[in-house]
Amino acid sequence: MANLATRSHVERVLAVAGNAVTVEGEPRIVNSWKRCLVDHKLDPGRSGPPRTLLQSELKVSAERIDRLIHLATPELDALYGQVRDAGYCVNLADVDATILISRLPDGEAATILRKWKVYTGSVFNEAVEGTNGLGTALAEQRPILVHRDEHFREQWSMFSCAVVPVFDHAGHLAGAVNITSCRGDLDRTAHQLALVVATQAVRRIEEAMFRSHFPRAWIATLPGGSAMVAFDDDQCVLGANRSARDRLGLSDATIEARRPLSQFIRIDEDFVSRPDAAHMMRDVDGRRVGQVRVSRPVRAASSPAQARFRGDGLPGQQVATLVRLAGSDPALQRSVRRLSKVVDTDIPVLLHGETGSGKDVFASAIHAASDRRRGRYVALNCAAMPESLIDAELFGYETGAFTGAKRDGSRGLIAQADGGTLFLDEIGDMPLALQTRLLRVLENHEVLPLGALKPVAVNIRLVSATHRDLEAMVADGTFRSDLYFRIRGLCIELPALRARADKVELIEKIAAEEAPHLRIAADARAVLVRHPFPGNIRQLRHVLRLAACTAEDGVIVEADLDLPPCFGSTSAPTFEAAERDVITEALRKNDGDVVKTARALDVSRATLYRKIKALNIASGSDRS
């Protein structure tokens, strides 16, 4: 059957690309198929996994976009919280279509994605893998949905990929955000709405990149919300993002010349005294073109506290004490009291909590509070590394152990942690074969590097973390029971931010660290307390960090908080809620006109009506 499906797919691709038959749907797919056949000389029937980078190559690729990774991570975590339950994975890739960050869903979907190597380190360049979400979106520098058999290679036809390119502060391609599903029960329309959700996340990432690059500039957000222009106190243009460049005809040469803003747009003069309010924008001929918002420069430097303690963790530093991390949450305080009694023993610790809840910070605090603090703290994220590389990275290897190995071999992270602490983040994502090897290390206190003839003795303290239900994984055979009981010496549950008893106090404390010179207005405080924060503490820090840059007159107001809606829920937003928000916002922008809204969302009118009814959304009239 597989050969028949492949043969049928190949015949269809060749017929459509050769103009012998037509196909419904996205014409860009056909153009991509033609590129794959004519320009790249690819075979749609070829099978096999994508190329996966070596660890040394992966590190180089990640270093190139380190700033993007830092700014994008909170938004990726929030997006993951929205789409995870619908079976989507979330990826961030560089301009070469190499996945550098990967968030996998739970259950069978994660197993399938790992089997086909849709994870960190895999390369999905269109010139190699043919038409696919990441490769084609980056090749065309435009968002795209590639749905099932629209992929060039038949082996990828079980997947649907919604991908949005990311552009930096100067409008240059920086990477792409991908959400992929292998669910067969979701039609193209569902994925089209998922593409809109991903687009919103990318818009926030690009805004964070732009503001981060121009912290000392005035920033005007033009009508529509996506175009941004930075200018100085003399109102000379310092920079513009891709949307603003297209809209105003700005080039690198124009920006380098620091032309007056008035040569492109005119803003009411009172924006200096009333920043962040809506101001009338006019074109160079004086015609009104809509309202613009202007945020003032960030004049104050960051406080030392901002550098001392971050929600995304600074492994090895001794600033985030266990008591401080517990705050006034009774459950966490009890956990810390228990932990303090075993912190100087070799009893393994298992941290469980949602993404962004501070597992990595807690792990480094355990190391810093223990008598092993003079030893090394070594961390590995098992979900952020290809299966083919975890073995060598964790256990090490001898010279010539495999093709591409370093000339002098590698000690491996376990050996590097000798005398200190080894932190295995997302241990639930560790492949079964490596679980067996890790169990031997923990039982025998020695590690056997790849290609070595004799083991090396090691003395480590193991701290593990996961957001997965390991007991359920043990029950379904995806996690070894003997390893589970070995690593579960003391289990610490890290509550989600929305569930913490000290949420209000924690928000105030983090606000003091991220925005030390600013006050939070009552409306903004109420929004922060009410919001579910699917990205937890990491997302809260990101939101407050951005608000500190945009706030005016020393006060953070609700308009400064770049947050997806709460959806009236005390739990993390669901994909259904995200769909509802996308449709509601599109209807609002189109004055309730269903026809225009369907066109904006690229779905049929009948489909939109079904969604409106299913999600109980109030709509306007059907104006054609």
Side-chain angles (χ1 to χ4, degrees), residues 451-491:
L453 298 178
K454 61 180 183 178
V456 178
V458 289
N459 174 20
I460 61 171
R461 168 67 172 285
L462 180 67
V463 179
S464 307
T466 184
H467 73 279
R468 300 188 183 280
D469 184 345
L470 292 187
E471 290 187 6
M473 293 180 68
V474 168
D476 65 24
T478 55
F479 199 88
R480 290 187 61 115
S481 60
D482 44 7
L483 178 60
Y484 171 67
F485 292 113
R486 173 67 69 170
I487 66 175
R488 196 191 185 285
L490 174 63
C491 187

Side-chain angles (χ1 to χ4, degrees), residues 61-180:
S61 295
E63 287 169 359
R64 290 194 188 112
I65 62 168
D66 177 69
R67 187 64 180 164
L68 171 58
I69 291 173
H70 172 73
L71 293 171
T73 296
E75 288 299 337
L76 295 174
D77 288 341
L79 177 61
Y80 176 64
Q82 288 179 300
V83 303
R84 175 185 57 201
D85 291 341
Y88 286 93
C89 72
V90 175
N91 306 126
L92 176 70
D94 64 12
V95 294
D96 298 318
T98 301
I99 296 176
L100 298 178
I101 290 182
S102 183
R103 301 280 188 268
L104 299 182
D106 297 324
E108 181 66 19
T111 302
I112 294 172
L113 289 162
R114 284 196 196 93
K115 175 184 176 182
W116 292 99
K117 298 192 174 182
V118 184
Y119 53 39
T120 305
S122 294
V123 183
F124 285 90
N125 194 295
E126 185 189 72
V128 178
E129 290 302 319
T131 307
N132 70 90
L134 273 174
T136 303
L138 287 164
E140 298 186 349
Q141 299 192 19
R142 294 169 59 193
I144 196 168
L145 168 62
V146 180
H147 181 54
R148 301 183 73 82
D149 63 2
E150 293 174 350
H151 285 85
F152 181 78
R153 294 176 62 187
E154 189 274 334
Q155 73 170 30
W156 301 122
S157 61
M158 75 180 76
F159 298 105
S160 293
C161 309
V163 184
V164 185
V166 180
F167 296 91
D168 67 13
H169 67 279
H172 302 139
L173 188 65
V177 170
N178 164 59
I179 58 176
T180 289

